[in-house]
Amino acid sequence: DLLKYKEAVDFRLDEESWKDLKVGDILEFWEDFSGWDKWHSERSRQVQVKLVEIFRASSFSDLIDGLPKSFSKWQKKEEIIEDLRKWWTPEREQQMGVLGFFVQVI
């Protein structure tokens, strides 16, 4: 979707590794087309994005509810949360809090 729409909200747990990120930073993603590879493969391609906005909340549900309406144009809240459950349990989500990075392809 990031490549298709040229922007996205990337959801994460509020981990220590994200504490130094700030609006305006340039991030690099490797599009692996499977959604599950930890490392890029020969099928991957690099995507650079600009960090436009950072959203924080205590849960993914609250974070999604707090996003501007324009962010919900591609996927329903229930579908997003179902996808996120493949990565993170509700217990970890509640323990750590969550982030949403609004990024745009550059």
Side-chain angles (χ1 to χ4, degrees):
D1 285 348
L2 175 61
L3 293 174
K4 181 178 179 180
Y5 299 113
K6 307 296 185 210
E7 62 184 21
V9 175
D10 187 57
F11 297 95
R12 305 287 175 148
L13 293 180
D14 193 358
E15 298 175 290
E16 182 72 16
S17 56
W18 308 120
K19 73 176 174 83
D20 294 329
L21 286 180
K22 59 189 178 308
V23 170
D25 283 351
I26 304 300
L27 308 176
E28 183 178 282
F29 289 110
W30 283 91
E31 180 65 40
D32 64 22
F33 302 106
S34 74
W36 298 105
D37 295 337
K38 283 192 166 198
W39 304 104
H40 57 275
S41 68
E42 60 189 46
R43 297 181 309 129
S44 304
R45 63 180 161 183
Q46 178 187 21
V47 180
Q48 288 189 336
V49 298
K50 182 176 183 177
L51 181 55
V52 177
E53 197 164 350
I54 301 171
F55 303 97
R56 284 189 162 79
S58 60
S59 70
F60 289 120
S61 179
D62 289 347
L63 188 132
I64 294 166
D65 287 343
L67 293 175
K69 295 291 182 214
S70 60
F71 291 113
S72 61
K73 59 188 167 195
W74 302 301
Q75 204 174 13
K76 293 181 179 174
K77 176 181 174 178
E78 296 76 20
E79 295 169 334
I80 295 170
I81 292 175
E82 183 179 323
D83 287 344
L84 294 170
R85 288 290 168 250
K86 296 174 186 173
W87 293 92
W88 301 295
T89 65
E91 294 79 22
R92 289 202 61 213
E93 169 189 349
Q94 292 299 318
Q95 177 185 41
M96 301 182 77
V98 297
L99 299 172
F101 301 121
F102 174 52
V103 297
Q104 294 176 328
V105 174
I106 53 173

